[in-house]
Amino acid sequence: MEPDNTYRNRTIIKYNIAGIAGNLLLSVLKIVVGLRAHSHAILLDAFNGLSDSLSSILSIVSSVLAGVR
């Protein structure tokens, strides 16, 4: 059985990857809709979703640097 921290960190990584996939999909859809509707608000919301993906990537990197293999 794995130590508790390893399981916890792998779970964090798994859910961050799912969050990245969801944020990227929503961001692409919002960019398409924002461009078609000429809406700056929707485009900015899409870029906000992309920045959420970046923070999830940083969370994964910090989990890996903390010792997850």
Side-chain angles (χ1 to χ4, degrees):
M1 187 169 183
E2 297 178 327
D4 219 20
N5 282 338
T6 302
Y7 174 76
R8 178 179 174 271
N9 287 340
R10 287 186 183 184
T11 303
I12 288 170
I13 290 172
K14 179 174 67 173
Y15 284 107
N16 274 314
I17 290 172
I20 291 168
N23 278 328
L24 290 177
L25 176 65
L26 284 173
S27 293
V28 168
L29 291 174
K30 287 178 184 180
I31 288 171
V32 170
V33 170
L35 289 173
R36 291 193 48 110
H38 303 289
S39 172
H40 294 294
I42 296 174
L43 286 172
L44 290 174
D45 192 40
F47 289 115
N48 184 27
L50 291 174
S51 71
D52 290 343
S53 295
L54 180 62
S55 66
S56 293
I57 291 170
L58 291 175
S59 178
I60 291 172
V61 168
S62 24
S63 291
V64 170
L65 290 176
V68 176
R69 299 263 178 219

